[in-house]
Each structure stands twice: as C-alpha cells, then as structure tokens.
Amino acid sequence: MMVPEVRAVLRTLPPGSRVVCAVSGGADSVALLHCLAALQRELGFTLTAAHFNHCLRGAESDGDEAFVRALCGIWSIPLTVGRGDVRQRAAETGESLEEAARHLRYAFLRAQDGYLATAHNADDQVETVLLNLLRGTGLKGLGAMAPREGRILRPLLEVSRADILQYLHQHGLAWREDSSNGEDSALRNRLRHHVIPLLRRENPSLSATVARSTAILRQDEAFLAGETAALLHRAAREGGWNCEILGQAPDALRTRALRQLIGGKKPAAVHVAAVEALLTRRNGSTSVDLPGGRVARREYGLLRIESKAAVHGFVPVTLSPGETASLPSLGLRVRLEGPVVLQNKVTDASTFALKCDMMEPTPRLTIRPRLTGDRLLGPGGSKSLKRRMIDAKIPAARRDLLPVAADSRGIVAVLGLGCAWDRRALPGDRAWLLTFTSEGRETDD
C-alpha cells in the first residue's frame, strides 16, 4: 500500500506539471520522493526536490541537508536548498520555535515553481485533528488537511506511518531521524507519544477512521462555504452588505459570513458576536472596533467594514485646466478639462459640467473635505452641506470622504451629491469638465 494513493493524487494534475517534493530527510519524505520518482515517467510530470535547513540542531541539521543532497544526487533529482534563522524569527515575533520554523519553511517552499508535494500522512492527520480540537475549531479545523489544496499536494495523507515504513524496508531505503521528535516540548509530540497510543488501544484503526471522518467533514465544509458565498452575494450592496438579509440567514451561515467579513486567521468569538448584534440594532449609525485598525459600522441598514484611517478625510489638492490631481487616501484621481461646447446633458455621476459664464476665466479649483458652514445650492434653494448629506442618507462616517470642489466664489460640485444649481452647464453652453475616476482606471493624460 502507498503507491496507489500517491498515483491517485498525482493523476489530478494537468499533463506536464512540475512537482516539487519537500524533503526533510525523514522517513516520510524519503518514501514520498522515491515513490514520485518511480511514477514520474508513467504520469508525465517533472520532479524536483526542495529542502529547508532550520539550523536548529547544529551539526544534525547540517547532516540532514548533506543526506538530502546526496540522495538527490544519486537519484538525479534537481534540488533547491534554503536556510533560515528560526530562533531569530521566534524572538522577533513571539512565536514558538515550531511556529517560526513552519512559517520560514513554507515561505521557502511556496516560493518554488510548481505543485508542492508534502509528506503528511494519515497519522499526522490524527494529530492535526486533535490539535485543532484542543485549540477550539469548527468544521474546517475538524476536516483538517486535504489531499490537494491549490498548489499543495499531500499524496500520503491516507497512508499510515506503518505502511510508509514497510515501503522503506521493502525498497531498502535509508532515512534520517530528527532527535527533536523524541522530545515532549511540543504539543504535537506529546499527543503523538502519550494520547494517540491510548486512543489506538480503543480503536486500532484510528488513522483510517479519522481519514474517513475528515473527508466527510470537508465535504460538509465545502457545501457550507458555497452557501455562505451565495449569502454574501445576495447581501452585497455598494459599500457594504444588507443587514436585514444577513440577519435573517440561518445561524450557521450568518456567523460564517461575519467571520469571513471580519477576516484574519481566526476572528475572536467576541468580535463576531459584536458585529452580529449590529445587524438588529435600529438606533441609527453605530460601530464596533475590530482588530487590525478596522471598524464595523451599521449605517442606514448596511453593514460596512473599513479601516479606521479611512474616516479622517483627505488632504486637499488644487486643480487648474489641463491638470490631474490624485486623492490617494480615497483611491481617486480628479481632472479639469476644457472649455468645450457641451453637446449633451451629462449623465455620469462622477463628471460635472461647469458653466464657463459662472466661473473665473481660468478657474482654479480646490478639492477638499467639507467645512463647517458649507452650503450647496439646489433646485429648492440653498441648504447646508450637512443637511443635504443627511437627506441623501450619506452615513456620518463617510461625509468627510466626499470630495468638495470649490473656487473663490464657493462650492461648485460635491461628488455624490451633484453640481451647484447655478454652476451647472446645459447642452449648448461652454463648459469646464470636472471628472473623478478610480486610481486604477486609465485617463487620457
């Protein structure tokens, strides 16, 4: 047993794929590399190897590297070797040595070109499920690792350690033992040495049982993930998500959707509950602080999640005809062009046609946030800018983010509200064109 499982995973790849096998020098990775080399011609993929030296065990770590170099040389398999200072990263980040080593190792491996094959086996899967269960998890954590996730391949995931050792002995293969695997300093090792043997006494087929269970749970997780994506799609509105649609969703989907919106590796339950409470509040705008300098807001029936820095306005810019200015904090560019004879009525909400007769001969505009006392003339007369924003149901947190275009005579236009009634140009008028575009879009300049 082993070759059929490896063959089944590799057959899911496109013909001619490049596969990089992560090789530590231990039993599992040596067996995987040998099996991949044996299947390479049959399945038509290109095989290379990658080894990361964690430099944690001095001469022993260097010995692992030398062993892998020699092995790949004998088998004529191209090898890439990386190194990293695990202790330094752990000191800088506060991670455990195990966490720091994993981060550096995977950063190196993911930099390799092609599919990445790792030697995780069925016994590793049992350990991962128990680790996730102890730390607290949901379906995704209980489903643990999958045989294939994007570029990551785990061809041995349904193969037991006993079958791997049998394969090594059958083919007369040598490997290196990592002395740290015998220590109890890491939680994974303590589970391996003390907890899992007790579970195997109750169920000798523990690895196979867990493999079947995790496969079922991954199916359930995939279905719920699809339903959650559909919920978010239904609730999506410009600038946020409809609170009523999210609030009426089944609990399982709603909490999943909120965790996805909050983001991060594992949103805390307290943050999910706080954002969930926003969905049913009716007392106007309210907000909840989130990690990473972000905030969740309920505004006019929409849930918005944004950076706190995004609510503090922007730096004003000045603009003359033929010039383009950038408003980087808003992700916008603004350009003033003309004069032109306006042929048709302007219908684009991000373009304003300003009547030349109501402007200075060579206008110079300031694009700025609103100021106290600002007023905008409309068809019903002059109103304060604040009142017009309230009437337009523009959330309070976003009012300082609407660019106001003004000259020496006053406001000429406000993005999101429109042009001052006495400054607007009609078809046949000579006009200046003031246009706002996204930073990502190309303009004529």
Side-chain angles (χ1 to χ4, degrees):
M1 292 295 290
M2 192 174 100
V3 175
E5 290 84 355
V6 175
R7 182 185 285 114
V9 174
L10 271 293
R11 276 181 171 164
T12 67
L13 303 184
S17 295
R18 174 186 172 95
V19 176
V20 183
C21 182
V23 186
S24 65
D28 303 336
S29 62
V30 169
L32 177 60
L33 184 65
H34 183 272
C35 189
L36 291 175
L39 293 172
Q40 182 177 2
R41 180 174 297 180
E42 172 191 337
L43 299 180
F45 60 88
T46 300
L47 178 64
T48 64
H51 173 82
F52 188 76
N53 188 337
H54 300 93
C55 301
L56 282 173
R57 294 173 287 116
E60 187 176 340
S61 293
D62 293 339
D64 292 343
E65 179 183 327
F67 173 81
V68 173
R69 286 185 182 276
L71 190 67
C72 290
I74 293 171
W75 292 348
S76 300
I77 298 173
L79 172 67
T80 302
V81 175
R83 286 178 169 241
D85 193 331
V86 175
R87 295 188 190 281
Q88 180 180 341
R89 176 179 171 84
E92 292 174 350
T93 64
E95 297 170 330
S96 66
L97 287 178
E98 184 180 23
E99 291 170 331
R102 186 181 187 281
H103 180 95
L104 291 176
R105 179 172 66 255
Y106 271 90
F108 161 71
L109 292 174
R110 288 193 174 99
Q112 308 307 308
D113 182 28
Y115 291 93
L116 176 62
T118 68
H120 294 99
N121 60 53
D123 293 17
D124 295 325
Q125 185 79 310
V126 175
E127 297 167 8
T128 300
V129 170
L130 291 176
L131 281 169
N132 291 342
L133 188 61
L134 286 173
R135 293 165 180 165
T137 190
L139 268 185
K140 187 173 179 63
L142 292 177
M145 299 177 284
R148 178 176 172 182
E149 292 181 273
R151 290 179 56 213
I152 305 296
L153 310 176
R154 302 183 182 96
L156 303 182
L157 198 57
E158 296 184 0
V159 181
S160 70
R161 183 71 189 276
D163 285 340
I164 291 172
L165 292 175
Q166 181 180 355
Y167 180 93
L168 290 167
H169 291 307
Q170 177 183 346
H171 292 278
L173 302 175
W175 67 90
R176 298 273 295 181
E177 288 288 353
D178 184 340
S179 61
S180 65
N181 286 338
E183 301 171 357
D184 278 351
S185 55
L187 175 57
R188 183 179 288 272
N189 285 357
R190 294 195 295 274
L191 292 174
R192 182 183 303 157
H193 299 155
H194 307 294
V195 176
I196 293 177
L198 294 177
L199 296 176
R200 289 197 194 284
R201 292 180 193 174
E202 302 298 328
N203 181 0
S205 301
L206 178 65
S207 295
T209 299
V210 170
R212 288 194 299 271
S213 298
T214 53
I216 293 171
L217 292 172
R218 287 195 299 273
Q219 286 182 338
D220 293 347
E221 168 65 25
F223 173 78
L224 288 172
E227 292 295 299
T228 301
L231 169 62
L232 288 172
H233 180 74
R234 291 195 305 273
R237 300 291 184 271
E238 184 176 357
W241 294 266
N242 183 283
C243 290
E244 185 176 0
I245 292 176
L246 291 177
Q248 292 178 351
D251 293 349
L253 296 184
R254 183 174 60 254
T255 54
R256 282 170 169 267
L258 294 181
R259 284 199 298 269
Q260 187 170 325
L261 294 179
I262 292 170
K265 186 175 182 181
K266 187 179 179 183
V270 64
H271 294 130
V272 176
V275 175
E276 188 171 19
L278 292 179
L279 301 179
T280 56
R281 290 180 187 168
R282 303 295 180 186
N283 56 338
S285 298
T286 187
S287 64
V288 170
D289 287 342
L290 297 175
R294 293 177 306 132
V295 63
R297 301 181 183 277
R298 179 194 171 102
E299 298 171 333
Y300 297 111
L302 287 185
L303 174 67
R304 303 179 189 272
I305 297 180
E306 57 193 354
S307 168
K308 292 180 183 178
V311 301
H312 297 304
F314 56 94
V315 177
V317 297
T318 56
L319 203 60
S320 294
E323 293 181 345
T324 300
S326 178
L327 302 171
S329 62
L330 303 183
L332 295 175
R333 301 171 72 187
V334 56
R335 182 172 177 81
L336 183 62
E337 296 179 291
V340 299
V341 175
L342 196 62
Q343 300 297 319
N344 300 297
K345 182 178 179 180
V346 174
T347 57
D348 183 355
S350 60
T351 298
F352 304 96
L354 308 176
K355 191 174 182 179
C356 287
D357 291 349
M358 299 300 295
M359 305 285 289
E360 296 174 351
T362 304
R364 185 163 180 80
L365 299 180
T366 298
I367 313 300
R368 58 168 174 79
R370 62 176 179 148
L371 298 174
T372 302
D374 275 346
R375 302 185 70 83
L376 181 64
L377 182 65
S382 176
K383 286 186 181 181
S384 72
L385 202 50
K386 178 179 180 180
R387 171 46 57 188
R388 290 205 179 277
M389 290 182 174
I390 292 173
D391 291 344
K393 294 188 176 182
I394 295 172
R398 306 188 68 81
R399 293 171 192 166
D400 289 334
L401 302 178
L402 293 187
V404 175
D407 62 10
S408 60
R409 301 178 185 180
I411 293 176
V412 300
V414 181
L415 185 63
L417 290 180
C419 191
W421 202 251
D422 59 339
R423 303 292 191 104
R424 63 194 182 102
L426 300 176
D429 291 339
R430 293 180 71 250
W432 299 101
L433 297 180
L434 180 67
T435 304
F436 291 86
T437 58
S438 168
E439 282 277 17
R441 288 175 52 192
E442 293 185 1
T443 56
D444 295 336
D445 63 328

